Amino acid sequence: MAFPITRLRRLRQSKIIRDMIRETEVDCDDLIMPYFVCPGTKVKNPIPSMPGNYQLSIDLLVKEVKDLVDRAGVHKILLFGIPEHKDETGEVACSHNAIVPQAIKAIKREVADVLIVADVCNCEYTVHGHCGTIVNGDVNNDLTLVTLASQSVTMAEAGADIIAPSDMMDGRVGAIRKALDDHGYTKTPIMAYSAKFASAFYGPFRDAAGSAPQFGDRSTYQMDPANGDEALREVEQDILEGADMVMVKPALSYLDVIQRVKTNFNIPVVAYNVSGEFSMVKAAGANGWVDEERMIKEILTSIKRAGADVIISYHAKEFGIKKRLEK
């Protein structure tokens, strides 16, 4: 650099110039807002570890999604279910009367312009809190594939726009793709949680979904946080099995993985800005330790800058509302 002829600060002298040359801009179209749906009517249970988030009954969820679209300009949601009853295998989630299929149908009836991503897993629906069928103290991979495939078809039949398996079983994308195709849902995309790490950042979510494992942990199926090369193998396998989009979860501690996935594979990349990341920002903001609004924008920008095409975030609604007010 030939200083003083080259002065990089010239392009930072005014907001107009900074806006003009900005490389990365997060827009509402990049965002997906997660929700937790529960049985009952007029139910709005606060989630203490996730301020501003709730377990919502279907009637209130429909109103909330309308508000998300109208006020925040965010048109994509991800649904998690809190069932009335659980079982050993998660079969309860495969019923057409299960909580998420009911919610999908209700939202589709009332909200015209919304895309629904249905999370497919068993941890919310099993009495033991693990992501599949337990045999000899561990999740049996191949038995779990049967339940996941059945659950996926039920979600598609209810009207889900995208199926998102989050279980981390080997072969589940292929099993789900075959089941969807066999039932005529050849146009339904799969958003695979391809590189999902066994992370400490999921704690608040497990409070929200009631999905904490009752014994052991998930390290035999979720990934070791130390492994980046293995993440690429997981992503590649899911692509070969038919994944239309791949996900890295969590986001902030895995920005390098997001970048490597984007660089190595010509496929849309989703990043999940998870509950623990959200709650840390909220706690620090509530204590006046950080500028919360600026921090949220910076975090989402960093995730997109790393290579994410789509960001799932509990900040989506508040970010969208502020974004609209800026315009």
Side-chain angles (χ1 to χ4, degrees):
M1 185 171 67
F3 176 83
I5 295 172
T6 302
R7 292 177 181 263
L8 297 180
R9 287 183 57 193
R10 291 189 189 115
L11 297 181
R12 302 175 196 149
Q13 292 306 302
S14 71
K15 184 178 184 302
I16 292 177
I17 293 177
R18 292 193 298 272
D19 290 347
M20 180 177 69
I21 66 165
R22 181 166 293 124
E23 299 172 23
T24 306
E25 187 78 30
V26 178
D27 193 69
C28 295
D29 288 337
D30 303 323
L31 302 176
I32 297 176
M33 180 72 193
Y35 287 109
F36 302 92
V37 59
C38 66
T41 56
K42 294 182 169 49
V43 178
K44 188 176 183 179
N45 296 327
I47 303 168
S49 58
M50 298 176 66
N53 287 268
Y54 304 87
Q55 296 176 343
L56 296 170
S57 54
I58 292 173
D59 55 326
L60 296 188
L61 175 62
V62 170
K63 292 179 180 179
E64 168 62 24
V65 173
K66 284 182 179 178
D67 193 57
L68 177 77
V69 171
D70 293 342
R71 285 208 302 142
V74 175
H75 293 259
K76 294 178 283 295
I77 65 171
L78 172 62
L79 287 184
F80 298 98
I82 292 92
E84 193 166 4
H85 304 290
K86 301 187 179 189
D87 59 27
E88 291 289 340
T89 64
E91 187 71 25
V92 63
C94 302
S95 166
H96 293 284
N97 294 320
I99 187 66
V100 173
Q102 289 186 58
I104 293 170
K105 293 172 187 174
I107 294 167
K108 287 292 185 178
R109 281 195 302 266
E110 299 294 331
V111 189
D113 193 15
V114 66
L115 180 142
I116 301 177
V117 183
D119 179 85
V120 170
C121 194
N122 292 323
C123 59
E124 300 112 287
Y125 306 105
T126 55
V127 292
H128 45 72
H130 279 283
C131 296
T133 302
I134 300 295
V135 176
N136 296 325
D138 192 19
V139 173
N140 182 283
N141 192 94
D142 295 5
L143 289 177
T144 301
L145 297 185
V146 177
T147 311
L148 296 172
S150 177
Q151 188 185 148
S152 297
V153 171
T154 299
M155 300 295 189
E157 289 175 344
D161 298 289
I162 296 175
I163 301 300
S166 62
D167 54 283
M168 286 300 287
M169 297 298 114
D170 291 332
R172 91 272 205 213
V173 172
I176 290 170
R177 183 72 273 159
K178 184 177 187 307
L180 290 172
D181 291 353
D182 286 349
H183 286 80
Y185 296 100
T186 57
K187 295 182 180 179
T188 302
I190 295 175
M191 177 192 289
Y193 288 65
S194 298
K196 182 178 179 180
F197 292 85
S199 172
F201 287 99
Y202 302 149
F205 174 92
R206 291 174 182 174
D207 290 341
S211 62
Q214 298 302 299
F215 64 89
D217 57 31
R218 296 186 172 127
S219 58
T220 67
Y221 44 103
Q222 293 179 359
M223 287 187 56
D224 185 338
N227 294 356
D229 292 344
E230 185 185 2
L232 297 188
R233 293 182 65 195
E234 288 280 5
V235 168
E236 183 177 29
Q237 186 61 44
D238 283 358
I239 293 171
L240 291 173
E241 291 179 22
D244 301 283
M245 293 167 272
V246 295
M247 189 190 303
V248 177
K249 179 183 180 182
L252 283 181
S253 290
Y254 302 89
L255 295 175
D256 60 318
V257 178
I258 295 170
Q259 185 177 51
R260 291 179 68 184
V261 170
K262 188 62 181 177
T263 300
N264 280 274
F265 302 101
N266 185 26
I267 193 167
V269 177
V270 183
Y272 200 142
N273 179 210
V274 299
S275 60
E277 298 167 346
F278 169 87
S279 297
M280 288 193 301
V281 172
K282 286 296 180 182
N287 280 282
W289 297 336
V290 298
D291 183 329
E292 184 179 322
E293 184 176 337
R294 285 185 61 199
M295 179 171 278
I296 291 169
K297 186 174 183 179
E298 187 173 339
I299 285 170
L300 296 178
T301 300
S302 73
I303 296 169
K304 186 171 182 180
R305 191 183 65 240
D309 301 288
V310 180
I311 304 169
I312 301 168
S313 177
Y314 301 94
H315 296 298
K317 183 176 183 179
E318 60 184 316
F319 178 87
I321 290 171
K322 291 184 173 73
K323 186 86 174 177
R324 280 195 157 185
L325 290 174
E326 290 173 1
K327 295 179 179 179

